[in-house]
């Protein structure tokens, strides 16, 4: 089932297949026939098998995060290499791979730094939607389509740079491990890499979607004694308890600001706070929820375009650390296959985060599930 067409049949040729196209914001995507060009030098064409629906895709459709349109969205993908361009050496046709929004070129300033993970080959803050040579591999009805973060997974076939593709265990179930392309490492790494959550500590997680739930899993693995989950959706709170949240807070049930509630219930504020929603108010609330002296606040949520984060400088002069990260600060190609191997060895379990699986053509329904708060992660199957 998970086998790409024999690459000899299609390699070097344009593939005509179905993709979900975002023509404009605030409208459903339409599934149409697209032409997918063969990969150029350093590029890989992938048959997508599964793709998660991430809050970042939703931000784009709602106009919160601007990218050039029309585009094929989606970045949390798993698939099989169909063919490779000249000079590609890290993957070959038939390999199972994940699609990474943050590449790892292993040559740029960020990649060469011991901790840097924002590879300069893909500007996720200001996406241009084109391959590194400034062209596109997708067309529909004669129009060029843009990609998303060099990935584009809401399509039966995509073309990516080799540096954004990582080979994973051949036995990995592709319908599940797509979460390792975004949600899971993003949240888990925020806790274990960026914040370095300590045993016995108290953590507070704002937003319990796919990313926030992965933060919870990271806090639990790191030995946190208390994990406070904050969400406005009651269904999320009930599910969060099953994965390790010890205390649930719905800000709508309180008259006072939620940060005040957290400070009071913890004595002096949480040791670690995480924002996995993407609004300025909740970023400030997360900052003010952690201890004023030694608290660490990690911002993960993607803010609205051109917004500014304002807070009293005293909030950090006292010693608090405010930080953030993309994809859990993992050097993606080095680390993500190891996380998948841990999943295969049952050291990590992402299955409870997948609340819905839908055939690809029901993609718009998947977005409705995310917006209504009914899903943690929906996975589309191709
Ligand atoms: P999601 O929509 O599944 O989860 C967001 C959660 O926040 C939902 O459970 C909502 O009910 C809840 N929520 C919304 N508003 C509030 C509020 N005012 N107070 C409390 N809870 C609220 O999205 P997700 O988990 O896929 O993504 C979360 C954020 O992380 C989003 O901003 C996305 O763009 C960002 C993200 N960042 C990275 C990264 O590398 N930094 C990667 C992937 C996603
Ligand atoms: Zn994502
Ligand atoms: Zn790089």
């Amino acid at each position: 089932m998970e086998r790409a067409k024999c690459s000899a049949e299609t390699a070097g040729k344009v593939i005509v297949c179905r993709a979900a196209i975002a023509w404009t914001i605030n409208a459903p995507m339409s599934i149409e026939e697209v032409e997918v060009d063969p990969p150029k030098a350093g590029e890989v064409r992938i048959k997508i098998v599964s793709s998660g629906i991430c809050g970042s895709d939703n931000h784009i459709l709602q106009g919160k995060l601007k990218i050039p349109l029309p585009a094929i969205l989606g970045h949390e993908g798993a698939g099989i290499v169909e063919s490779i361009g000249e000079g590609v050496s890290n993957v070959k046709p038939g390999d199972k791979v994940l699609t990474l929004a943050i590449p790892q070129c292993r040559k740029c300033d960020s990649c060469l730094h011991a901790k840097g993970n924002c590879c300069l080959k893909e500007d996720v803050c200001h996406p241009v939607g084109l391959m590194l040579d400034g062209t596109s591999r997708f067309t529909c009805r004669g129009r060029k389509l843009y990609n998303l973060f060099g990935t584009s997974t809401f399509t039966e076939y995509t073309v990516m740079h080799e540096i954004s593709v990582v080979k994973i265990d051949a036995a990995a179930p592709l319908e599940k491990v797509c979460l390792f392309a975004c949600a899971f490492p993003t949240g888990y790494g925020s806790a274990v890499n960026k914040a370095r959550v300590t045993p016995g500590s108290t953590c507070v997680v704002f937003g319990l979607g796919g990313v926030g739930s992965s933060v919870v899993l990271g806090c639990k693995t790191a030995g946190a004694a208390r994990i406070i989950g904050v969400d406005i959706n009651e269904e999320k709170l009930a599910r969060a308890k099953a994965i390790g949240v010890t205390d649930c807070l719905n800000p709508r049930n309180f008259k006072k600001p939620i940060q005040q509630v957290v400070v009071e219930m913890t004595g002096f504020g949480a040791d670690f706070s995480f924002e996995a929603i993407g609004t300025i108010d909740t970023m400030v609330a997360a900052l003010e929820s952690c201890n004023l002296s030694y608290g660490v606040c990690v911002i993960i949520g993607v803010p609205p375009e051109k917004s500014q984060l304002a807070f009293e400088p005293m909030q950090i002069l006292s010693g608090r650390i405010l930080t953030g990260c993309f994809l859990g600060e993992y050097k993606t190609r080095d680390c993500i296959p190891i996380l998948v191997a841990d999943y295969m060895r049952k050291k990590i379990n992402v299955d409870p985060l997948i609340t819905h699986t839908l055939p690809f053509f029901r993609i718009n329904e998947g977005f409705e599930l995310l917006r209504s708060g009914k899903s943690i992660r929906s996975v589309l199957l191709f």
Side-chain angles (χ1 to χ4, degrees):
M1 188 180 100
E2 291 175 354
R3 204 161 283 277
K5 274 183 199 168
C6 169
S7 115
E9 275 174 40
T10 49
K13 297 179 189 156
V14 170
I15 290 181
V16 178
C17 66
R18 292 178 314 158
I21 301 169
W23 292 100
T24 164
I25 59 165
N26 295 320
M29 286 167 282
S30 62
I31 297 198
E32 305 192 35
E33 255 188 14
V34 295
E35 291 90 41
V36 183
D37 288 346
K40 290 190 182 176
E43 298 174 358
V44 177
R45 189 161 59 184
I46 299 162
K47 177 178 166 48
I48 297 290
V49 173
S50 70
S51 177
I53 295 178
C54 175
S56 303
D57 298 310
N58 189 43
H59 285 343
I60 293 165
L61 282 175
Q62 296 188 328
K64 218 175 120 176
L65 176 63
K66 289 215 164 42
I67 67 153
L69 298 177
I72 300 177
L73 308 183
H75 55 283
E76 196 173 83
I80 297 173
V81 174
E82 173 270 340
S83 62
I84 55 175
E86 207 185 304
V88 169
S89 58
N90 293 313
V91 293
K92 56 180 190 316
D95 282 350
K96 284 189 178 177
V97 293
L98 296 180
T99 63
L100 306 168
I102 308 261
Q104 187 187 351
C105 75
R106 300 190 172 126
K107 290 178 185 154
C108 74
D109 171 70
S110 192
C111 286
L112 289 172
H113 189 276
K115 285 179 78 181
N117 90 320
C118 278
C119 176
L120 300 178
K121 293 287 182 186
E122 182 67 43
D123 185 353
V124 286
C125 299
H126 310 97
V128 293
L130 295 168
M131 303 304 283
L132 287 170
D133 67 359
T135 63
S136 162
R137 301 291 165 269
F138 302 118
T139 47
C140 177
R141 295 191 249 146
R143 271 189 80 178
K144 171 176 85 176
L145 302 175
Y146 292 94
N147 70 28
L148 173 64
F149 308 143
T151 51
S152 290
T153 58
F154 296 156
T155 169
E156 290 173 318
Y157 286 86
T158 192
V159 177
M160 296 179 55
H161 296 112
E162 174 181 28
I163 55 171
S164 302
V165 175
V166 72
K167 181 180 170 176
I168 52 164
D169 190 328
L174 293 183
E175 69 282 7
K176 301 265 195 318
V177 295
C178 56
L179 263 65
F180 287 88
C182 184
F184 183 76
T186 297
Y188 191 84
S190 299
V192 303
N193 293 335
K194 192 78 216 184
R196 295 187 177 267
V197 167
T198 48
S201 60
T202 295
C203 301
V204 55
V205 183
F206 284 75
L208 298 166
V211 173
S213 300
S214 301
V215 174
V216 171
L217 296 178
C219 295
K220 201 174 147 193
T221 302
R226 194 175 185 191
I227 307 171
I228 304 165
V230 180
D231 204 295
I232 48 175
N233 185 302
E234 292 288 338
E235 272 183 63
K236 290 281 169 61
L237 295 171
R239 283 196 180 124
K241 285 219 160 171
I243 60 162
V245 164
T246 55
D247 307 70
C248 292
L249 297 178
N250 182 342
R252 293 187 173 158
N253 294 340
F254 297 89
K255 288 211 171 71
K256 51 187 158 191
I258 200 67
Q259 51 269 52
Q260 201 179 323
V261 177
V262 174
V263 170
E264 284 168 12
M265 69 192 275
T266 53
F268 299 95
D271 298 295
F272 302 96
S273 61
F274 301 88
E275 201 277 359
I277 301 166
T279 73
I280 296 299
D281 287 353
T282 48
M283 290 177 188
V284 172
L287 176 67
E288 294 179 357
S289 293
C290 74
N291 186 281
L292 91 169
S293 169
Y294 50 77
V296 176
C297 172
V298 185
I299 304 292
I300 311 162
V302 173
E305 186 88 2
K306 296 199 166 75
S307 55
Q308 303 269 316
L309 180 59
F311 56 88
E312 283 180 49
M314 280 299 180
Q315 298 279 18
I316 54 171
L317 267 179
S318 55
R320 273 191 184 104
I321 293 172
L322 174 62
T323 183
C325 59
F326 285 129
L327 264 168
E329 212 186 33
Y330 285 108
K331 285 191 180 284
T332 51
R333 286 201 287 146
D334 290 348
C335 301
I336 287 177
I338 299 171
L339 293 177
V340 175
D342 283 347
Y343 170 78
M344 298 302 287
R345 283 201 299 269
K346 302 199 186 315
K347 274 180 69 186
I348 287 173
N349 188 10
V350 295
D351 298 359
L353 308 190
I354 304 173
T355 51
H356 297 76
T357 50
L358 301 165
F360 170 49
F361 70 88
R362 285 169 59 191
I363 184 167
N364 290 310
E365 226 175 290
F367 274 87
E368 281 312 314
L369 288 166
L370 177 107
R371 289 173 196 143
S372 64
K374 290 196 168 60
S375 58
I376 297 184
R377 251 324 182 249
S378 293
V379 169
L380 301 170
L381 299 178
F382 290 74

